[in-house]
Amino acid sequence: MTASLIIIAFCLCSLIPHSVIAVCDNLCSGRGTCQADDVCKCYDNWGVGLTHTSGDCSDRICPYELAWVDKPNYKGTFHGYAECAGRGVCNRETGECQCFDGYEGKACSRTSCPNDCSGHGTCEFIDDLTYKTVHGDYSIQGFSDEAQTFTYHDWDSRKTRGCVCDPTYADVDCSKRMCGYGTDPLDTRDNLLMPLKYQTQQLVFQSSINNCQNEGKTFALKFTSTMNEVYTTIPIAMSCTSLELNDFVHDVQLALLNLPNQVINGITVAGSLDPSGYYVHLNVTFTGCYNEGPQHIIEVVDYECSNGCTPKLTGINMNHMYYRASSNVSQIQVPDFASYECGRRGKCDYTTGECKCFEGYGGPICGVQTLII
């Protein structure tokens, strides 16, 4: 009887609820809250291990970015988010990514440029890289002094980068000095009976109003050399009357010839007016020995450039419509001359930017034959 009472009493005691106190591991390291099941709920960017499960919330989580390379998801989609973009190791003490060589930035989200562009260029995102050198390489329609760029929406937008070299420097890391370009002194023309042809570029100014309403307003011309040096002329005053045409043509010619360093050392300019007053044509022919072969298309700076801007311009009101004839710059005569590095008769020393001419040739770009056999 006594034994039975003891057993019943024990069973009743076991049914009495106990008060429970949650005790989480290391008190969640002060980086989270302890839940009733003794599991930490970590604050943002805290966890434990590679899986970032809560644990004791003692590890930092590093930033996430689109992965450079990863396995596909169920739908076959790549480039999901990954810690350090999968191109670095997370420092759990600091929460910062230690990026592998060639990657940098928060979450290793962008590529580095080769050799930091050797100190002779800028590191640009793929979105900002241009088509060739000047706007005229892409389209002759309209006036623009900026090379063509394109909208880019692929996964590596604002991630992959490349070097844009300073003038006179080249190669993927901008480590090489450029040498001069010129024609091969042994090049021959197909028909020696025809006059020698020089490159001619035509500038067409079409006003959305009568050009005489642009009378006296100023614009400038921009010339990019074969060494990618960019030069801008002094302001040029627009003219629309036949009486002033010769002075206008002369002003344009002097403005180009007076660019620094004799970057253009020979040029002729011819002009014509449309009777309606809406068109002005200028034909610019490169005749100098420094400008043999194809040159970059001249660019027209037609917008206002006022206080604090150089050169100071009032701008001219031009028509830039794409669906009809409009202001443009184009090549209307192909030169008989070619344009080769060191004239194709020498080898460029990329450390100095000087041509080492082959035997029998001389000059800055090996354009002079010194030995005739």
Side-chain angles (χ1 to χ4, degrees), residues 20-25 28 34-40 55:
V20 178
I21 300 176
V23 180
C24 288
D25 299 318
C28 302
C34 189
Q35 304 299 296
D37 53 358
D38 293 354
V39 174
C40 293

Side-chain angles (χ1 to χ4, degrees), residues 89-143:
V89 175
C90 182
N91 184 326
R92 299 296 173 195
E93 295 294 326
T94 64
E96 296 178 348
C97 293
Q98 296 173 334
C99 301
F100 303 143
D101 290 343
Y103 299 89
E104 61 182 54
K106 181 181 178 181
C108 308
S109 60
R110 61 179 183 264
T111 60
S112 304
C113 277
N115 297 324
D116 290 329
C117 302
S118 305
H120 298 300
T122 56
C123 192
E124 305 289 346
F125 287 107
I126 189 172
D127 317 49
D128 301 321
L129 299 181
T130 64
Y131 177 76
K132 295 190 176 181
T133 306
V134 299
H135 180 75
D137 294 326
Y138 176 75
S139 172
I140 65 170
Q141 292 293 336
F143 291 154

Side-chain angles (χ1 to χ4, degrees), residues 205-283:
F205 297 84
Q206 181 199 0
S207 179
S208 55
I209 55 177
N210 189 291
N211 262 315
C212 289
Q213 297 184 42
N214 283 316
E215 182 78 20
K217 293 183 178 180
T218 54
F219 67 95
L221 299 178
K222 185 180 288 187
F223 176 74
T224 303
S225 73
T226 53
M227 305 283 282
N228 296 328
E229 300 162 303
V230 180
Y231 300 88
T232 304
T233 68
I234 60 174
I236 303 169
M238 190 70 189
S239 180
C240 71
T241 66
S242 56
L243 292 176
E244 297 177 345
L245 179 61
N246 288 337
D247 288 340
F248 177 53
V249 167
H250 185 66
D251 289 345
V252 172
Q253 182 167 312
L254 282 181
L256 289 169
L257 285 174
N258 286 332
L259 290 175
N261 305 328
Q262 287 192 311
V263 65
I264 296 177
N265 70 329
I267 200 169
T268 62
V269 180
S272 63
L273 295 174
D274 183 83
S276 68
Y278 283 91
Y279 292 91
V280 177
H281 293 80
L282 294 177
N283 290 348

Side-chain angles (χ1 to χ4, degrees), residues 142-145 205 218-221 299-305 313-320 327:
F143 291 154
S144 175
D145 64 342
F205 297 84
T218 54
F219 67 95
L221 299 178
E299 297 167 295
V300 178
V301 185
D302 66 332
Y303 50 82
E304 181 182 2
C305 183
L313 306 171
T314 62
I316 51 178
N317 191 354
M318 291 289 105
N319 190 342
H320 291 195
S327 304

Side-chain angles (χ1 to χ4, degrees), residues 41-88:
K41 182 180 180 181
C42 300
Y43 300 148
D44 289 345
N45 302 320
W46 292 91
V48 167
L50 295 176
T51 58
H52 310 317
T53 50
S54 60
D56 65 352
C57 306
S58 60
D59 289 346
R60 287 183 179 269
I61 298 174
C62 285
Y64 276 61
E65 253 293 349
L66 294 179
W68 292 95
V69 178
D70 62 356
K71 293 182 178 180
N73 63 14
Y74 177 77
K75 295 182 179 180
T77 303
F78 294 85
H79 306 295
Y81 281 92
E83 192 174 36
C84 300
R87 283 296 177 263

